[in-house]
Amino acid sequence: MESNYRVVVGEGAGQVVFSQRERLTLIAGPCQMESREHAFMIAGKLVEICKALNVGLVYKSSFDKANRTSLSGKRGIGLDKAMEVFADLKQEFGFPVLTDIHTEEQCAMVAETVDILQIPAFLCRQTDLLVAAARTGRAINVKKGQFLAPWDMKNVLAKFTASGNPNVLLCERGASFGYNTLVSDMRALPIMAGLGAPVVFDATHSVQQPGGQGGSTGGQREFVETLARAAVAVGIAGLFIETHEDPDNAPSDGPNMVPLENMPRLLETLLAFDAIAKA
């Protein structure tokens, strides 16, 4: 089975399209799900922003941040509680939702509610996990491992398609460069698009400094816009941005999340770049 150059997710007015040739779709939300009230607050703000800018939205949040720098790192509200919140968010706002999965057993359970299953970068070569995710029939957003070249994603993509699921997004989030540093090679975007799947650029995890604060991950959120502009100018199907109303006090990934109040101006700028790139 061949992969899809165009992936459609969701239903009705909330349906979104991921395509290198069409207006980009936004994947956004807080790093981890903190509470029902917080999820609804962020979701409501994002819906307002995206409606005003006429951009498709997929709401993202993690029920469990399994890959923490230290044992004391906060991980989220857990699978069962998060699925209830995701279901209510979908009913209220109509948008598709995305979350990470970490084990084969989680795939089927999460797929009952969630529209896009996300494979974390460190797990992108875990064959059994990829096959289990593919067999749910849900769309997949697989993050390129920091340790892989973009052309290596050909084999990752093939694991999904050979398992009967062509609805795959390939997500760039930087490559390891020395200690505590990631770099984004914009050549990766057209290379991965050439493999036959829509490409998403993760603008917030690309500015991470893994383990950079000793007991937690650091980041340079001041460079999110710089990298996002470059990626959108190259041409991408989707943009992944984590956001929070108070990133400096967020339980995870605060240093690289975009303040919620900055999202309208940032997206307006990036959509202008997107229009030029796809003219």
Side-chain angles (χ1 to χ4, degrees):
M1 180 178 290
E2 294 184 357
S3 53
N4 285 340
Y5 286 91
R6 187 175 188 266
V7 173
V8 180
V9 182
E11 300 176 353
Q15 188 177 84
V16 299
V17 176
F18 289 92
S19 168
Q20 304 296 118
R21 297 182 178 181
E22 300 177 54
R23 189 174 178 84
L24 68 78
T25 289
L26 176 68
I27 301 172
C31 177
Q32 66 173 259
M33 190 175 286
E34 300 174 29
S35 68
R36 176 187 175 85
E37 294 72 24
H38 186 258
F40 267 80
M41 183 275 292
I42 296 284
K45 295 290 186 182
L46 287 172
V47 166
E48 289 179 10
I49 294 168
C50 290
K51 282 186 176 179
L53 295 173
N54 190 30
V55 61
L57 171 66
V58 175
Y59 183 81
K60 178 271 167 187
S61 198
S62 298
F63 64 85
D64 178 19
K65 300 299 295 182
N67 176 27
R68 297 293 81 199
T69 301
S70 67
L71 190 61
S72 62
K74 294 182 179 179
R75 293 182 53 166
I77 68 173
L79 191 152
D80 292 338
K81 290 183 179 179
M83 292 307 110
E84 293 177 1
V85 175
F86 277 132
D88 291 343
L89 286 168
K90 290 175 63 174
Q91 183 173 7
E92 175 71 20
F93 297 109
F95 49 45
V97 297
L98 173 153
T99 198
D100 312 82
I101 44 93
H102 308 94
T103 68
E104 299 146 57
E105 294 76 18
Q106 290 175 351
C107 294
M109 292 186 287
V110 171
E112 292 180 2
T113 303
V114 172
D115 301 275
I116 304 178
L117 304 183
Q118 181 164 280
I119 307 295
F122 284 118
L123 299 178
C124 72
R125 284 169 55 98
Q126 294 294 105
T127 300
D128 291 342
L129 176 63
L130 272 55
V131 171
R135 288 177 175 169
T136 67
R138 290 297 194 180
I140 309 291
N141 184 42
V142 56
K143 293 197 174 185
K144 179 179 73 63
Q146 302 93 320
F147 45 87
L148 289 181
W151 45 85
D152 292 332
M153 291 299 284
K154 176 181 180 180
N155 296 318
V156 174
L157 179 59
K159 291 181 182 180
F160 293 113
T161 56
S163 300
N165 192 337
N167 296 310
V168 182
L169 309 172
L170 300 180
C171 185
E172 169 62 28
R173 50 98 13 108
S176 296
F177 187 79
Y179 298 125
N180 306 124
T181 304
L182 298 173
V183 297
S184 293
D185 180 357
M186 295 302 159
R187 296 176 300 176
L189 303 175
I191 290 171
M192 289 200 295
L195 300 179
V199 172
V200 174
F201 182 71
D202 182 343
T204 42
H205 288 94
S206 291
V207 300
Q208 266 189 345
Q209 295 173 315
Q213 294 184 342
S216 62
T217 289
Q220 296 176 298
R221 79 167 69 100
E222 66 269 24
F223 293 119
V224 168
E225 181 169 346
T226 301
L227 294 182
R229 282 187 178 210
V232 174
V234 169
I236 52 176
L239 189 63
F240 181 110
I241 299 179
E242 289 188 337
T243 185
H244 195 280
E245 82 284 0
D246 185 13
D248 291 334
N249 291 299
S252 59
D253 276 355
N256 46 272
M257 279 198 284
V258 173
L260 186 59
E261 63 182 6
N262 294 351
M263 286 291 284
R265 184 201 60 80
L266 174 60
L267 288 173
E268 187 174 5
T269 299
L270 295 176
L271 288 168
F273 276 80
D274 186 59
I276 293 171
K278 294 172 182 173

mmCIF file of all heavy atoms in Angstrom, residues 158-206:
data_model
loop_
_atom_site.group_PDB
_atom_site.id
_atom_site.type_symbol
_atom_site.label_atom_id
_atom_site.label_comp_id
_atom_site.label_asym_id
_atom_site.label_seq_id
_atom_site.Cartn_x
_atom_site.Cartn_y
_atom_site.Cartn_z
ATOM 1 N N ALA A 158 7.306 2.973 5.801
ATOM 2 C CA ALA A 158 6.956 1.672 5.216
ATOM 3 C C ALA A 158 6.346 0.723 6.251
ATOM 4 O O ALA A 158 5.516 -0.127 5.904
ATOM 5 C CB ALA A 158 8.189 1.041 4.587
ATOM 6 N N LYS A 159 6.738 0.861 7.512
ATOM 7 C CA LYS A 159 6.160 0.000 8.547
ATOM 8 C C LYS A 159 4.663 0.259 8.699
ATOM 9 O O LYS A 159 3.880 -0.667 8.948
ATOM 10 C CB LYS A 159 6.884 0.210 9.877
ATOM 11 C CG LYS A 159 8.321 -0.315 9.890
ATOM 12 C CD LYS A 159 8.985 -0.096 11.239
ATOM 13 C CE LYS A 159 10.431 -0.578 11.223
ATOM 14 N NZ LYS A 159 11.114 -0.390 12.529
ATOM 15 N N PHE A 160 4.267 1.516 8.556
ATOM 16 C CA PHE A 160 2.840 1.843 8.643
ATOM 17 C C PHE A 160 2.091 1.377 7.410
ATOM 18 O O PHE A 160 1.042 0.741 7.511
ATOM 19 C CB PHE A 160 2.658 3.357 8.806
ATOM 20 C CG PHE A 160 3.155 3.897 10.116
ATOM 21 C CD1 PHE A 160 4.256 4.739 10.158
ATOM 22 C CD2 PHE A 160 2.527 3.578 11.304
ATOM 23 C CE1 PHE A 160 4.718 5.246 11.354
ATOM 24 C CE2 PHE A 160 2.977 4.086 12.513
ATOM 25 C CZ PHE A 160 4.086 4.921 12.538
ATOM 26 N N THR A 161 2.615 1.716 6.248
ATOM 27 C CA THR A 161 1.896 1.390 5.009
ATOM 28 C C THR A 161 1.815 -0.119 4.803
ATOM 29 O O THR A 161 0.788 -0.638 4.343
ATOM 30 C CB THR A 161 2.553 2.060 3.793
ATOM 31 O OG1 THR A 161 3.930 1.688 3.709
ATOM 32 C CG2 THR A 161 2.468 3.583 3.917
ATOM 33 N N ALA A 162 2.878 -0.835 5.138
ATOM 34 C CA ALA A 162 2.855 -2.291 5.001
ATOM 35 C C ALA A 162 1.889 -2.937 5.990
ATOM 36 O O ALA A 162 1.453 -4.077 5.801
ATOM 37 C CB ALA A 162 4.254 -2.861 5.206
ATOM 38 N N SER A 163 1.535 -2.185 7.037
ATOM 39 C CA SER A 163 0.567 -2.677 8.024
ATOM 40 C C SER A 163 -0.848 -2.222 7.691
ATOM 41 O O SER A 163 -1.766 -2.390 8.508
ATOM 42 C CB SER A 163 0.957 -2.180 9.422
ATOM 43 O OG SER A 163 2.248 -2.653 9.773
ATOM 44 N N GLY A 164 -1.022 -1.612 6.504
ATOM 45 C CA GLY A 164 -2.348 -1.271 6.026
ATOM 46 C C GLY A 164 -2.830 0.131 6.320
ATOM 47 O O GLY A 164 -4.009 0.430 6.133
ATOM 48 N N ASN A 165 -1.937 1.009 6.770
ATOM 49 C CA ASN A 165 -2.367 2.366 7.100
ATOM 50 C C ASN A 165 -1.518 3.395 6.346
ATOM 51 O O ASN A 165 -0.363 3.637 6.695
ATOM 52 C CB ASN A 165 -2.254 2.615 8.599
ATOM 53 C CG ASN A 165 -2.950 3.893 9.047
ATOM 54 O OD1 ASN A 165 -3.155 4.807 8.246
ATOM 55 N ND2 ASN A 165 -3.305 3.963 10.312
ATOM 56 N N PRO A 166 -2.090 4.045 5.315
ATOM 57 C CA PRO A 166 -1.348 5.030 4.537
ATOM 58 C C PRO A 166 -1.461 6.450 5.083
ATOM 59 O O PRO A 166 -0.830 7.371 4.559
ATOM 60 C CB PRO A 166 -2.006 4.939 3.165
ATOM 61 C CG PRO A 166 -3.437 4.664 3.489
ATOM 62 C CD PRO A 166 -3.417 3.768 4.721
ATOM 63 N N ASN A 167 -2.275 6.651 6.132
ATOM 64 C CA ASN A 167 -2.561 7.999 6.623
ATOM 65 C C ASN A 167 -1.530 8.421 7.668
ATOM 66 O O ASN A 167 -1.787 8.421 8.874
ATOM 67 C CB ASN A 167 -3.973 8.056 7.203
ATOM 68 C CG ASN A 167 -5.014 7.798 6.145
ATOM 69 O OD1 ASN A 167 -4.997 8.400 5.077
ATOM 70 N ND2 ASN A 167 -5.916 6.868 6.426
ATOM 71 N N VAL A 168 -0.360 8.796 7.164
ATOM 72 C CA VAL A 168 0.792 9.057 8.020
ATOM 73 C C VAL A 168 1.340 10.458 7.763
ATOM 74 O O VAL A 168 1.494 10.876 6.612
ATOM 75 C CB VAL A 168 1.906 8.018 7.781
ATOM 76 C CG1 VAL A 168 3.088 8.273 8.713
ATOM 77 C CG2 VAL A 168 1.366 6.600 7.975
ATOM 78 N N LEU A 169 1.634 11.167 8.834
ATOM 79 C CA LEU A 169 2.325 12.450 8.783
ATOM 80 C C LEU A 169 3.734 12.243 9.308
ATOM 81 O O LEU A 169 3.932 11.569 10.329
ATOM 82 C CB LEU A 169 1.603 13.490 9.652
ATOM 83 C CG LEU A 169 0.102 13.658 9.428
ATOM 84 C CD1 LEU A 169 -0.474 14.576 10.509
ATOM 85 C CD2 LEU A 169 -0.176 14.209 8.042
ATOM 86 N N LEU A 170 4.713 12.821 8.622
ATOM 87 C CA LEU A 170 6.101 12.752 9.073
ATOM 88 C C LEU A 170 6.467 14.095 9.706
ATOM 89 O O LEU A 170 6.295 15.142 9.083
ATOM 90 C CB LEU A 170 7.038 12.454 7.902
ATOM 91 C CG LEU A 170 6.791 11.138 7.162
ATOM 92 C CD1 LEU A 170 7.791 10.980 6.016
ATOM 93 C CD2 LEU A 170 6.873 9.943 8.109
ATOM 94 N N CYS A 171 6.945 14.045 10.928
ATOM 95 C CA CYS A 171 7.153 15.269 11.702
ATOM 96 C C CYS A 171 8.637 15.504 11.985
ATOM 97 O O CYS A 171 9.313 14.657 12.573
ATOM 98 C CB CYS A 171 6.377 15.195 13.009
ATOM 99 S SG CYS A 171 6.425 16.707 13.996
ATOM 100 N N GLU A 172 9.130 16.661 11.590
ATOM 101 C CA GLU A 172 10.514 17.067 11.847
ATOM 102 C C GLU A 172 10.588 17.850 13.143
ATOM 103 O O GLU A 172 9.807 18.775 13.376
ATOM 104 C CB GLU A 172 11.024 17.921 10.683
ATOM 105 C CG GLU A 172 12.342 18.629 10.938
ATOM 106 C CD GLU A 172 13.508 17.677 11.200
ATOM 107 O OE1 GLU A 172 13.469 16.530 10.699
ATOM 108 O OE2 GLU A 172 14.461 18.083 11.892
ATOM 109 N N ARG A 173 11.542 17.463 14.020
ATOM 110 C CA ARG A 173 11.691 18.155 15.300
ATOM 111 C C ARG A 173 13.155 18.361 15.694
ATOM 112 O O ARG A 173 13.500 18.450 16.855
ATOM 113 C CB ARG A 173 10.932 17.432 16.403
ATOM 114 C CG ARG A 173 11.149 15.965 16.567
ATOM 115 C CD ARG A 173 12.139 15.500 17.634
ATOM 116 N NE ARG A 173 12.556 16.470 18.579
ATOM 117 C CZ ARG A 173 12.203 16.512 19.867
ATOM 118 N NH1 ARG A 173 11.416 15.599 20.378
ATOM 119 N NH2 ARG A 173 12.684 17.421 20.657
ATOM 120 N N GLY A 174 14.020 18.433 14.659
ATOM 121 C CA GLY A 174 15.420 18.707 14.927
ATOM 122 C C GLY A 174 16.258 17.445 15.058
ATOM 123 O O GLY A 174 15.737 16.336 15.221
ATOM 124 N N ALA A 175 17.562 17.643 14.976
ATOM 125 C CA ALA A 175 18.518 16.539 15.089
ATOM 126 C C ALA A 175 19.533 16.848 16.182
ATOM 127 O O ALA A 175 19.917 18.008 16.385
ATOM 128 C CB ALA A 175 19.246 16.337 13.754
ATOM 129 N N SER A 176 19.955 15.826 16.897
ATOM 130 C CA SER A 176 20.929 16.014 17.969
ATOM 131 C C SER A 176 22.238 16.545 17.405
ATOM 132 O O SER A 176 22.735 16.080 16.377
ATOM 133 C CB SER A 176 21.183 14.690 18.693
ATOM 134 O OG SER A 176 20.016 14.241 19.338
ATOM 135 N N PHE A 177 22.780 17.533 18.089
ATOM 136 C CA PHE A 177 24.031 18.162 17.655
ATOM 137 C C PHE A 177 24.854 18.457 18.892
ATOM 138 O O PHE A 177 24.671 19.485 19.548
ATOM 139 C CB PHE A 177 23.729 19.448 16.878
ATOM 140 C CG PHE A 177 24.934 20.081 16.238
ATOM 141 C CD1 PHE A 177 25.449 19.575 15.055
ATOM 142 C CD2 PHE A 177 25.553 21.182 16.821
ATOM 143 C CE1 PHE A 177 26.560 20.158 14.463
ATOM 144 C CE2 PHE A 177 26.662 21.763 16.232
ATOM 145 C CZ PHE A 177 27.162 21.255 15.050
ATOM 146 N N GLY A 178 25.735 17.528 19.238
ATOM 147 C CA GLY A 178 26.509 17.707 20.464
ATOM 148 C C GLY A 178 25.641 17.498 21.691
ATOM 149 O O GLY A 178 24.614 16.821 21.649
ATOM 150 N N TYR A 179 26.047 18.104 22.798
ATOM 151 C CA TYR A 179 25.343 17.931 24.064
ATOM 152 C C TYR A 179 24.230 18.966 24.237
ATOM 153 O O TYR A 179 24.428 20.154 24.001
ATOM 154 C CB TYR A 179 26.318 18.069 25.238
ATOM 155 C CG TYR A 179 27.407 17.024 25.255
ATOM 156 C CD1 TYR A 179 28.746 17.386 25.290
ATOM 157 C CD2 TYR A 179 27.087 15.667 25.242
ATOM 158 C CE1 TYR A 179 29.747 16.433 25.315
ATOM 159 C CE2 TYR A 179 28.083 14.702 25.268
ATOM 160 C CZ TYR A 179 29.410 15.091 25.304
ATOM 161 O OH TYR A 179 30.394 14.138 25.330
ATOM 162 N N ASN A 180 23.038 18.509 24.665
ATOM 163 C CA ASN A 180 21.916 19.386 25.018
ATOM 164 C C ASN A 180 21.486 20.324 23.900
ATOM 165 O O ASN A 180 20.926 21.392 24.165
ATOM 166 C CB ASN A 180 22.259 20.231 26.263
ATOM 167 C CG ASN A 180 22.697 19.407 27.449
ATOM 168 O OD1 ASN A 180 23.782 19.613 27.984
ATOM 169 N ND2 ASN A 180 21.873 18.466 27.859
ATOM 170 N N THR A 181 21.732 19.941 22.657
ATOM 171 C CA THR A 181 21.430 20.855 21.553
ATOM 172 C C THR A 181 20.773 20.110 20.397
ATOM 173 O O THR A 181 21.131 18.983 20.079
ATOM 174 C CB THR A 181 22.728 21.521 21.041
ATOM 175 O OG1 THR A 181 23.384 22.168 22.136
ATOM 176 C CG2 THR A 181 22.408 22.566 19.971
ATOM 177 N N LEU A 182 19.798 20.779 19.779
ATOM 178 C CA LEU A 182 19.178 20.293 18.556
ATOM 179 C C LEU A 182 19.369 21.337 17.464
ATOM 180 O O LEU A 182 19.428 22.532 17.748
ATOM 181 C CB LEU A 182 17.673 20.063 18.754
ATOM 182 C CG LEU A 182 17.234 19.029 19.788
ATOM 183 C CD1 LEU A 182 15.724 19.080 19.967
ATOM 184 C CD2 LEU A 182 17.676 17.630 19.381
ATOM 185 N N VAL A 183 19.483 20.894 16.234
ATOM 186 C CA VAL A 183 19.494 21.805 15.091
ATOM 187 C C VAL A 183 18.439 21.339 14.093
ATOM 188 O O VAL A 183 18.131 20.152 14.009
ATOM 189 C CB VAL A 183 20.876 21.872 14.398
ATOM 190 C CG1 VAL A 183 21.929 22.428 15.338
ATOM 191 C CG2 VAL A 183 21.299 20.503 13.880
ATOM 192 N N SER A 184 17.893 22.282 13.361
ATOM 193 C CA SER A 184 16.900 21.964 12.336
ATOM 194 C C SER A 184 17.507 22.181 10.956
ATOM 195 O O SER A 184 17.931 23.298 10.632
ATOM 196 C CB SER A 184 15.661 22.843 12.500
ATOM 197 O OG SER A 184 14.991 22.529 13.699
ATOM 198 N N ASP A 185 17.556 21.106 10.198
ATOM 199 C CA ASP A 185 18.061 21.152 8.829
ATOM 200 C C ASP A 185 16.860 21.237 7.904
ATOM 201 O O ASP A 185 16.112 20.272 7.763
ATOM 202 C CB ASP A 185 18.888 19.893 8.548
ATOM 203 C CG ASP A 185 19.461 19.847 7.138
ATOM 204 O OD1 ASP A 185 19.180 20.776 6.346
ATOM 205 O OD2 ASP A 185 20.184 18.880 6.833
ATOM 206 N N MET A 186 16.648 22.389 7.282
ATOM 207 C CA MET A 186 15.454 22.590 6.464
ATOM 208 C C MET A 186 15.430 21.701 5.220
ATOM 209 O O MET A 186 14.376 21.524 4.603
ATOM 210 C CB MET A 186 15.314 24.059 6.091
ATOM 211 C CG MET A 186 15.078 24.953 7.293
ATOM 212 S SD MET A 186 13.599 24.484 8.247
ATOM 213 C CE MET A 186 13.946 25.252 9.832
ATOM 214 N N ARG A 187 16.579 21.119 4.867
ATOM 215 C CA ARG A 187 16.585 20.166 3.757
ATOM 216 C C ARG A 187 15.746 18.938 4.081
ATOM 217 O O ARG A 187 15.248 18.256 3.182
ATOM 218 C CB ARG A 187 18.018 19.738 3.442
ATOM 219 C CG ARG A 187 18.922 20.843 2.941
ATOM 220 C CD ARG A 187 20.345 20.344 2.762
ATOM 221 N NE ARG A 187 20.902 19.847 4.026
ATOM 222 C CZ ARG A 187 22.117 19.278 4.134
ATOM 223 N NH1 ARG A 187 22.869 19.119 3.052
ATOM 224 N NH2 ARG A 187 22.557 18.868 5.304
ATOM 225 N N ALA A 188 15.579 18.656 5.375
ATOM 226 C CA ALA A 188 14.815 17.482 5.785
ATOM 227 C C ALA A 188 13.363 17.564 5.341
ATOM 228 O O ALA A 188 12.731 16.529 5.085
ATOM 229 C CB ALA A 188 14.885 17.320 7.305
ATOM 230 N N LEU A 189 12.824 18.771 5.234
ATOM 231 C CA LEU A 189 11.401 18.922 4.914
ATOM 232 C C LEU A 189 11.074 18.449 3.506
ATOM 233 O O LEU A 189 10.193 17.601 3.334
ATOM 234 C CB LEU A 189 10.972 20.373 5.150
ATOM 235 C CG LEU A 189 11.224 20.897 6.572
ATOM 236 C CD1 LEU A 189 10.882 22.382 6.658
ATOM 237 C CD2 LEU A 189 10.425 20.106 7.590
ATOM 238 N N PRO A 190 11.748 18.939 2.464
ATOM 239 C CA PRO A 190 11.450 18.405 1.131
ATOM 240 C C PRO A 190 11.892 16.958 0.948
ATOM 241 O O PRO A 190 11.284 16.208 0.181
ATOM 242 C CB PRO A 190 12.203 19.345 0.186
ATOM 243 C CG PRO A 190 13.262 19.975 1.006
ATOM 244 C CD PRO A 190 12.683 20.076 2.383
ATOM 245 N N ILE A 191 12.935 16.552 1.657
ATOM 246 C CA ILE A 191 13.379 15.158 1.555
ATOM 247 C C ILE A 191 12.282 14.221 2.072
ATOM 248 O O ILE A 191 11.920 13.232 1.422
ATOM 249 C CB ILE A 191 14.692 14.932 2.328
ATOM 250 C CG1 ILE A 191 15.850 15.632 1.617
ATOM 251 C CG2 ILE A 191 14.993 13.437 2.474
ATOM 252 C CD1 ILE A 191 17.142 15.650 2.414
ATOM 253 N N MET A 192 11.722 14.535 3.243
ATOM 254 C CA MET A 192 10.676 13.670 3.791
ATOM 255 C C MET A 192 9.392 13.770 2.980
ATOM 256 O O MET A 192 8.687 12.771 2.802
ATOM 257 C CB MET A 192 10.430 14.006 5.266
ATOM 258 C CG MET A 192 11.571 13.587 6.169
ATOM 259 S SD MET A 192 11.107 13.439 7.915
ATOM 260 C CE MET A 192 10.700 15.135 8.304
ATOM 261 N N ALA A 193 9.077 14.953 2.461
ATOM 262 C CA ALA A 193 7.896 15.077 1.599
ATOM 263 C C ALA A 193 8.045 14.202 0.363
ATOM 264 O O ALA A 193 7.066 13.643 -0.134
ATOM 265 C CB ALA A 193 7.693 16.536 1.195
ATOM 266 N N GLY A 194 9.276 14.060 -0.119
ATOM 267 C CA GLY A 194 9.542 13.221 -1.280
ATOM 268 C C GLY A 194 9.324 11.746 -1.019
ATOM 269 O O GLY A 194 9.247 10.949 -1.960
ATOM 270 N N LEU A 195 9.208 11.361 0.251
ATOM 271 C CA LEU A 195 8.947 9.961 0.582
ATOM 272 C C LEU A 195 7.486 9.603 0.378
ATOM 273 O O LEU A 195 7.126 8.428 0.381
ATOM 274 C CB LEU A 195 9.355 9.677 2.042
ATOM 275 C CG LEU A 195 10.827 9.923 2.388
ATOM 276 C CD1 LEU A 195 11.064 9.627 3.865
ATOM 277 C CD2 LEU A 195 11.750 9.090 1.521
ATOM 278 N N GLY A 196 6.640 10.641 0.215
ATOM 279 C CA GLY A 196 5.248 10.377 -0.112
ATOM 280 C C GLY A 196 4.251 10.638 0.985
ATOM 281 O O GLY A 196 3.141 10.112 0.934
ATOM 282 N N ALA A 197 4.622 11.442 1.983
ATOM 283 C CA ALA A 197 3.695 11.742 3.077
ATOM 284 C C ALA A 197 3.743 13.233 3.394
ATOM 285 O O ALA A 197 4.785 13.873 3.218
ATOM 286 C CB ALA A 197 4.062 10.935 4.317
ATOM 287 N N PRO A 198 2.631 13.809 3.874
ATOM 288 C CA PRO A 198 2.655 15.203 4.306
ATOM 289 C C PRO A 198 3.637 15.393 5.461
ATOM 290 O O PRO A 198 3.793 14.508 6.307
ATOM 291 C CB PRO A 198 1.223 15.463 4.767
ATOM 292 C CG PRO A 198 0.399 14.405 4.107
ATOM 293 C CD PRO A 198 1.291 13.209 4.010
ATOM 294 N N VAL A 199 4.277 16.557 5.479
ATOM 295 C CA VAL A 199 5.295 16.835 6.490
ATOM 296 C C VAL A 199 4.803 17.913 7.453
ATOM 297 O O VAL A 199 4.244 18.928 7.036
ATOM 298 C CB VAL A 199 6.613 17.272 5.829
ATOM 299 C CG1 VAL A 199 7.617 17.750 6.867
ATOM 300 C CG2 VAL A 199 7.205 16.105 5.037
ATOM 301 N N VAL A 200 5.036 17.671 8.726
ATOM 302 C CA VAL A 200 4.719 18.618 9.787
ATOM 303 C C VAL A 200 6.028 19.089 10.404
ATOM 304 O O VAL A 200 6.953 18.288 10.593
ATOM 305 C CB VAL A 200 3.839 17.943 10.865
ATOM 306 C CG1 VAL A 200 3.626 18.872 12.059
ATOM 307 C CG2 VAL A 200 2.510 17.505 10.273
ATOM 308 N N PHE A 201 6.108 20.386 10.712
ATOM 309 C CA PHE A 201 7.290 20.900 11.408
ATOM 310 C C PHE A 201 6.928 21.225 12.846
ATOM 311 O O PHE A 201 6.000 21.991 13.117
ATOM 312 C CB PHE A 201 7.838 22.158 10.728
ATOM 313 C CG PHE A 201 9.080 22.694 11.397
ATOM 314 C CD1 PHE A 201 10.289 22.023 11.299
ATOM 315 C CD2 PHE A 201 9.032 23.871 12.140
ATOM 316 C CE1 PHE A 201 11.429 22.497 11.930
ATOM 317 C CE2 PHE A 201 10.179 24.358 12.771
ATOM 318 C CZ PHE A 201 11.379 23.671 12.668
ATOM 319 N N ASP A 202 7.654 20.634 13.773
ATOM 320 C CA ASP A 202 7.462 20.862 15.204
ATOM 321 C C ASP A 202 8.360 22.028 15.623
ATOM 322 O O ASP A 202 9.549 21.859 15.866
ATOM 323 C CB ASP A 202 7.820 19.593 15.980
ATOM 324 C CG ASP A 202 7.601 19.724 17.477
ATOM 325 O OD1 ASP A 202 7.481 20.855 17.962
ATOM 326 O OD2 ASP A 202 7.567 18.690 18.158
ATOM 327 N N ALA A 203 7.760 23.213 15.704
ATOM 328 C CA ALA A 203 8.539 24.421 15.943
ATOM 329 C C ALA A 203 8.967 24.587 17.394
ATOM 330 O O ALA A 203 9.932 25.300 17.677
ATOM 331 C CB ALA A 203 7.733 25.649 15.513
ATOM 332 N N THR A 204 8.266 23.945 18.320
ATOM 333 C CA THR A 204 8.603 24.132 19.728
ATOM 334 C C THR A 204 9.605 23.101 20.244
ATOM 335 O O THR A 204 10.542 23.452 20.957
ATOM 336 C CB THR A 204 7.333 24.144 20.601
ATOM 337 O OG1 THR A 204 6.424 23.128 20.184
ATOM 338 C CG2 THR A 204 6.635 25.487 20.484
ATOM 339 N N HIS A 205 9.450 21.835 19.863
ATOM 340 C CA HIS A 205 10.446 20.861 20.303
ATOM 341 C C HIS A 205 11.775 21.026 19.565
ATOM 342 O O HIS A 205 12.816 20.551 20.021
ATOM 343 C CB HIS A 205 9.913 19.436 20.147
ATOM 344 C CG HIS A 205 8.854 19.101 21.144
ATOM 345 N ND1 HIS A 205 7.524 19.247 20.877
ATOM 346 C CD2 HIS A 205 8.930 18.660 22.423
ATOM 347 C CE1 HIS A 205 6.824 18.904 21.945
ATOM 348 N NE2 HIS A 205 7.649 18.545 22.894
ATOM 349 N N SER A 206 11.752 21.713 18.431
ATOM 350 C CA SER A 206 13.000 21.963 17.704
ATOM 351 C C SER A 206 13.910 22.949 18.422
ATOM 352 O O SER A 206 15.104 23.021 18.112
ATOM 353 C CB SER A 206 12.695 22.480 16.289
ATOM 354 O OG SER A 206 12.116 21.458 15.503
#
